[in-house]
Amino acid sequence: MSTEVALIGGAMSPLTKLMSEPSFDLVRTTIDAAIQDAGVDRAAVDCLAVTPPGMAGHNTSMFVSRLNAHMGLTLKSLACLENGGCSSALALRWAINEVRSGRCRVAVAVGADQRLQTLPEENESWETFLARNVFATMAIYGSYDGPYGLGAPIPYYAMSAQRYMHETGATAEDLAWAAVRLREHAHQHEHATFKGKRLSVDDVLSSKLLSPPLHLADCSQFVSGAAAVVVTSADVARSLERRPVWLRGFGQHHHPSSFTAGAESLTRFPAVQEAAQEAYAEAGIAAGDIDVAEVYGVFSSTELILTEDLGFFPRGQAGAAFREGRSTYGGDVVVDPSGGRLSLGHPACATPLIEVLEILLQLQERAGDRQVPGAEWGLVHAEHGMLNGSQVTVWQGDDQ
Amino acid sequence: MKDIIDQATVRAIEFNADGATRTFFERLRERRFQSTRCGACQQVAYPPRLFCAACGHGEVEWVDLPRRGTLHAFTTQHRSLRFFDPDVLGLVELAGVGFVLSKIDAELDALSIGQEVEVDYLEISGDLVVHQFRPV
């Protein structure tokens, strides 16, 4: 017997290039802002699920235990979840499951990512700094890919983009259109990294070629930031002023691969397709019913591929769909009204909850200038590896 | 600076290793390109493992990987900790095995998808030899 779960409120921090304040302060203020937005009593919170404070590998041991001692909450559930880009999506799942089971009634999920200086710390020698960076990147890319000196996942995605163009006939202009649409959306978001900075297809194509065919403007920018959301049982939700947003479908799938070794394709991702189908089936809807979506597209090419794997556009036609305006206001589905990873900014551990927050605001009709008129059904997608694993949630606005 | 990166890489390989990793790099130092094959289902794995991830069987043997494969995709990277521009990376598809990420010893402009490439060895330091591929 499962209980209905509602999303009630949430908050995000400003996004900054490097960590702007200590982890505890960033996480605590974001959690308290989410609780205040939801209109629940702080003492009523009985579940807290968090991510480690970033992928930089610092300050993570027993983080959640120390964090909650700092916050002073008395809880029935406390957990720290980590799986790369999916981390805060898993914190959300933990919160959902605790409410669904009936054990908890007011659960907070929070994700935070804090980027550190990319130069040696004070009093740190270059030798120690270099060795530390080698260890950090080798931990991500492993013993087989790591020795080739990968410092970022851009080459993997560049090869995915090259294959996508090769297999579907998509052009560099098609990829650029994804970046342009996201930039258009970002102008309406107060926290967008690239708010107010115009971007054209020519701008994308003339930006620095990082890893061909990907230009700088095809890539997202890593930033620091945090986001938190509050989920509650139906009875709690009905007692609050905010209109509930109901969880209708949940899907999660993990292919036995991480990055390219063991993968079947660089242009179609079974984890995305399977997670989406599971979520649509539970919700009893089809991809075409979704009004607004937030997807974990960290590169322009991935943005296109994701909208195909999620079923919004047919294989190989996402580029045309973005160019023709079918992914924006007045089109088939509004993809990433927040500006997405490319133009809002990408604090990886927090990104899935930034996406959830955007869908919450859209389905509560609180999204202001970027409101999708009449939005009823929303979708959130999160992933880890190179789309080797994915989570998809489907949400419905309240009709009362 | 190169010494520090090389030594840290070797230590990190050890730190992240499973039981098959050490053998894989030992074989590369001997200029052998090998991985593991399942004694039951015969699947050849990449990366190697001391069990079969496809069927769960517990016995594997070390076998030569195909020396030639096709270039599935390729690009360059700018911010490599190891190699300087132009640093061409590629994904090589080995028949019956799957994708292998490697360095491609060629100019980017000379490469095309589907091209046949052959394995070679690149000595990073005395302790570390990696595979690389170049067009046949």
Side-chain angles (χ1 to χ4, degrees):
Chain A
M1 178 71 187
S2 67
T3 312
E4 272 196 308
V5 175
L7 192 57
I8 282 293
M12 69 179 284
S13 73
L15 302 176
T16 56
K17 188 116 187 180
L18 292 172
M19 65 185 274
S20 56
E21 54 186 327
S23 298
F24 280 1
D25 292 341
L26 175 71
V27 175
R28 175 185 58 80
T29 54
T30 307
I31 291 171
D32 282 339
I35 290 171
Q36 192 170 15
D37 182 73
V40 294
D41 188 354
R42 196 173 190 265
V45 174
D46 52 10
C47 168
L48 178 63
V50 313
T51 68
M55 295 199 194
H58 62 104
N59 196 25
T60 57
S61 182
M62 290 180 65
F63 173 71
V64 71
S65 177
R66 290 181 286 116
L67 172 72
N68 195 51
H70 174 74
M71 301 229 7
L73 297 175
T74 301
L75 302 167
K76 294 177 75 177
S77 182
L78 177 65
C80 183
L81 288 298
E82 196 281 331
N83 187 356
C86 254
S87 297
S88 63
L90 297 180
L92 174 68
R93 171 149 224 188
W94 183 279
I96 287 168
N97 284 349
E98 289 289 41
V99 172
R100 261 191 174 166
S101 74
R103 276 199 75 242
C104 297
R105 301 174 74 222
V106 179
V108 177
V110 58
D113 212 312
Q114 296 205 304
R115 298 279 141 186
L116 295 176
Q117 282 282 359
T118 50
L119 293 170
E121 306 279 354
E122 203 176 342
N123 298 325
E124 185 181 33
S125 69
W126 269 100
E127 287 79 3
T128 313
F129 170 74
L130 268 178
R132 181 164 63 83
N133 271 277
V134 169
F135 262 82
T137 55
M138 288 285 293
I140 294 172
Y141 303 110
S143 297
Y144 297 94
D145 292 1
Y148 294 95
L150 291 161
I154 300 172
Y156 292 122
Y157 288 93
M159 291 191 286
S160 167
Q162 183 195 40
R163 286 298 305 193
Y164 180 72
M165 292 163 72
H166 177 76
E167 292 173 20
T168 68
T171 63
E173 286 80 6
D174 289 333
L175 269 56
W177 268 108
V180 169
R181 290 296 179 209
L182 295 177
R183 185 63 60 89
E184 290 168 359
H185 292 174
H187 297 314
Q188 309 302 332
H189 199 299
E190 58 173 332
H191 292 311
T193 306
F194 291 98
K195 181 179 171 65
K197 294 175 182 162
R198 300 285 151 188
L199 187 75
S200 68
V201 168
D202 283 346
D203 291 337
V204 178
L205 297 179
S206 59
S207 66
K208 186 182 177 187
L209 196 56
L210 285 189
S211 281
L214 293 180
H215 297 80
L216 178 63
D218 288 305
C219 305
S220 58
Q221 183 164 335
F222 279 139
V223 293
S224 296
V229 299
V230 179
V231 296
T232 72
S233 57
D235 59 329
V236 172
R238 294 282 185 212
S239 74
L240 299 169
E241 275 185 37
R242 290 263 185 243
R243 283 170 58 192
V245 169
W246 300 103
L247 177 68
R248 294 302 189 210
F250 194 107
Q252 198 169 306
H253 193 88
H254 303 274
H255 187 267
S257 57
S258 185
F259 297 116
T260 53
E264 291 158 36
S265 166
L266 304 187
T267 63
R268 281 189 267 205
F269 296 94
V272 182
Q273 297 168 353
E274 295 284 338
Q277 290 312 314
E278 183 187 350
Y280 293 146
E282 187 184 1
I285 63 164
D289 295 319
I290 299 293
D291 301 303
V292 55
E294 283 279 325
V295 306
Y296 201 110
V298 180
F299 297 88
S300 59
S301 48
T302 324
E303 189 84 5
L304 299 182
I305 292 169
L306 275 172
T307 57
E308 295 176 6
D309 279 344
L310 291 168
F312 298 152
F313 305 118
R315 166 85 168 156
Q317 292 180 32
F322 273 71
R323 186 177 63 240
E324 293 161 7
R326 288 158 55 199
S327 69
T328 189
Y329 297 84
D332 302 354
V333 53
V334 181
V335 180
D336 289 331
S338 69
R341 295 350 101 204
L342 265 60
S343 274
L344 176 61
H346 180 42
C349 271
T351 284
L353 290 182
I354 288 177
E355 298 177 43
V356 172
L357 175 64
E358 179 64 20
I359 295 303
L360 166 77
L361 295 175
Q362 291 288 346
L363 299 186
Q364 286 181 336
E365 291 187 86
R366 297 166 61 202
D369 290 341
R370 60 181 193 279
Q371 181 65 48
V372 176
E376 180 190 359
W377 288 97
L379 176 145
V380 176
H381 163 265
E383 62 91 27
H384 65 84
M386 186 172 85
L387 300 161
N388 306 81
S390 278
Q391 185 195 87
V392 172
T393 46
V394 169
W395 306 87
Q396 186 181 27
D398 194 67
D399 55 6
Q400 293 185 357
Chain B
M1 188 169 109
K2 181 182 179 302
D3 286 351
I4 295 161
I5 293 174
D6 292 346
Q7 287 162 16
T9 302
V10 170
R11 291 206 314 277
I13 289 173
E14 287 281 317
F15 186 77
N16 294 305
D18 59 62
T21 312
R22 199 167 296 161
T23 305
F24 178 78
F25 283 98
E26 274 172 16
R27 300 286 157 97
L28 285 174
R29 283 197 293 277
E30 298 163 1
R31 306 309 194 258
R32 289 194 287 172
F33 184 44
Q34 292 204 326
S35 192
T36 52
R37 182 175 66 198
C38 175
C41 77
Q42 305 296 312
Q43 177 65 47
V44 178
Y46 183 84
R49 296 173 187 85
L50 294 185
F51 67 99
C52 179
C55 77
H57 188 66
E59 285 178 31
V60 298
E61 61 175 337
W62 287 86
V63 296
D64 289 332
L65 287 166
R67 293 187 54 79
R68 289 188 176 187
T70 55
L71 190 59
H72 186 75
F74 54 93
T75 187
T76 60
Q77 60 175 347
H78 285 280
R79 289 187 186 171
S80 169
L81 279 167
R82 162 142 293 113
F83 303 112
F84 299 99
D85 290 343
D87 179 11
V88 181
L89 286 178
L91 205 57
V92 177
E93 186 167 16
L94 299 181
V97 181
F99 296 139
V100 175
L101 182 83
S102 192
K103 181 174 170 63
I104 306 297
D105 183 25
E107 295 288 325
L108 186 78
D109 293 344
L111 298 173
S112 58
I113 285 176
Q115 190 168 13
E116 191 173 21
V117 289
E118 185 168 54
V119 73
D120 188 24
Y121 304 93
L122 178 64
E123 186 169 312
I124 305 281
S125 67
D127 291 337
L128 182 59
V129 174
V130 298
H131 51 78
Q132 63 174 348
F133 285 79
R134 67 169 60 96
V136 174

